[in-house]
Amino acid sequence: MNAPRIMAADATGIAEAAAMIRSGQIVAFPTETVYGLGADATNDAAVAKIFAAKGRPDFNPLIVHVKDAPAARGYVRWTETATTLAARFWPGPLTLVLKRLPDCPLSLLVSAGLPSVAIRVPAHPLAQALLAQADRPIAAPSANRSGAVSPTTAAHVAASLGAQVPLILDSGPCLVGLESTVIDLTGPEPILLRPGGLALEAIEIAIGRSIASALDDTNHPKSPGMLERHYAPRASLRLDAEAAKPGETLLGFGPVAPSGSVNLSPTGNLDEAAANLFAMLHRLDESAERIAVMQIPEVGLGRAINDRLRRAAKRG
Ligand code: TXA
Ligand code: MG
């Protein structure tokens, strides 16, 4: 298989990527959360190429990236809560699920049969430049093979997708390192569908009330992508470890981790841990058979880190 072409995400790279998006091809590009595998969200055939490249067994709905909130409002039924959240957190690692407008020009494939669309305004300047030059909404899931750990570097994308992706724009490691937080605004109350790179507490403060999680609520339909075992490294994972047992490699957290071990954040900073999570899992997965992960507090970005770790720890 040929290696994918990797270009620096400079003016030349972005012009090339934008032209490819406009002509219905797929391109991997950096966002502040993880690398995305993008296609013109108004082009069915282009969106279908994303599913083919990822090897997705089913058609999970995709996040549509747009340049700003007014652009989003052209596609979905906007709400008051959406106004509040968009004003406070866009551009940034927050995805809002809203009802499609009747004449919504987005491909039905991005919704995978649902009457809603997940939409987000990315903060990464290169993602913004690509949106501006392509002049299209861009559908993009994380740029990894289905079921694998999300990519936070161009090298991760190349290793996971190979020549399935014709072009990767490289702009170094992603700042946030975890996928966006997904909030469902289609019902009477906002629901957390996926904990992610924006802390739930910050969202709750912005709207002045607590938000229920679809992960705890058996009555609420889950976000389709949250049903599968996801974020799977090859090695096995043991969580809430105090120390590594014989044969295990430790993934530490905080100052209590033995010095010399791979540490998500030696100072115990959850934002730093989030940014390091996937890169360290990728790295350990190359050599370790069994990974023991130290306990991560269930607050702030710790919720999303623990969510990804629990999924990664599930076998079969
Ligand atoms: O940070 C991110 O969100 C990255 C970057 C590239 O933006 N994208 C990403 O996309 O993580 P993906 O496809 O790996 O995850 C999208 C999540 C899935 O859990 C999916 O089920 C959910 O969003 N989703 C998408 N559309 C939805 C919809 N209409 N209703 C409910 N959930 C939806
Ligand atoms: Mg993904």
Side-chain angles (χ1 to χ4, degrees):
M1 192 159 45
N2 301 326
R5 191 154 58 111
I6 301 182
M7 287 179 83
D10 55 14
T12 313
I14 287 167
E16 171 80 14
M20 287 175 70
I21 295 279
R22 291 175 71 94
S23 70
Q25 294 177 264
I26 55 174
V27 171
F29 66 100
T31 82
E32 73 278 23
T33 57
V34 300
Y35 276 73
L37 183 60
D40 176 353
T42 63
N43 178 333
D44 292 320
V47 174
K49 287 180 188 167
I50 294 176
F51 293 110
K54 282 187 65 96
R56 279 208 168 164
D58 47 19
F59 287 162
N60 281 326
L62 304 177
I63 295 173
V64 174
H65 299 71
V66 295
K67 69 177 198 307
D68 54 19
R73 296 177 77 141
Y75 304 124
V76 289
R77 195 181 300 283
W78 202 244
T79 70
E80 230 175 277
T81 307
T83 299
T84 306
L85 292 178
R88 177 73 182 79
F89 299 114
W90 277 358
L94 172 67
T95 295
L96 300 178
V97 174
L98 292 152
K99 288 185 180 143
R100 290 176 73 105
L101 285 174
D103 54 353
C104 175
L106 298 175
S107 164
L108 286 168
L109 257 188
V110 303
S111 295
L114 297 169
S116 55
V117 177
I119 206 154
R120 146 169 137 82
V121 176
H124 198 301
L126 297 164
Q128 279 288 341
L130 181 62
L131 284 164
Q133 279 201 37
D135 195 24
R136 299 276 200 287
I138 297 180
S142 50
N144 51 276
R145 279 194 73 76
S146 184
V149 176
S150 285
T152 57
T153 66
H156 294 158
V157 180
S160 188
L161 293 176
Q164 296 291 325
V165 52
L167 176 64
I168 304 171
L169 284 184
D170 183 358
S171 98
C174 301
L175 213 59
V176 177
L178 275 181
E179 303 89 338
S180 60
T181 301
V182 182
I183 302 282
D184 183 354
L185 295 181
T186 60
E189 298 290 335
I191 305 272
L192 174 71
L193 293 181
R194 176 175 75 179
L198 177 63
L200 181 64
E201 291 91 332
I203 302 171
E204 291 179 326
I205 287 169
I207 62 173
R209 58 188 155 139
S210 64
I211 297 176
S213 168
L215 301 171
D216 310 330
D217 177 355
T218 45
N219 292 319
H220 192 275
K222 306 286 177 284
S223 182
M226 297 305 280
L227 295 174
E228 21 167 356
R229 174 172 178 265
H230 239 194
Y231 312 105
R234 188 189 45 79
S236 72
L237 247 69
R238 183 169 66 85
L239 306 186
D240 299 329
E242 284 179 359
K245 294 178 181 167
E248 289 182 335
T249 304
L250 190 71
L251 179 55
F253 175 75
V256 290
S259 64
S261 50
V262 178
N263 196 325
L264 288 166
S265 169
T267 60
N269 178 311
L270 288 168
D271 294 359
E272 183 187 18
N276 283 333
L277 178 68
F278 291 135
M280 287 184 175
L281 281 178
H282 275 287
R283 179 141 62 86
L284 289 178
D285 204 26
E286 282 167 14
S287 53
E289 292 304 319
R290 289 188 283 153
I291 303 170
V293 190
M294 290 181 74
Q295 192 167 33
I296 315 286
E298 187 75 10
V299 294
L301 295 198
R303 295 171 194 273
I305 295 171
N306 283 324
D307 171 77
R308 304 305 186 271
L309 285 171
R310 283 191 287 266
R311 280 166 210 286
K314 250 182 224 154
R315 308 307 295 179

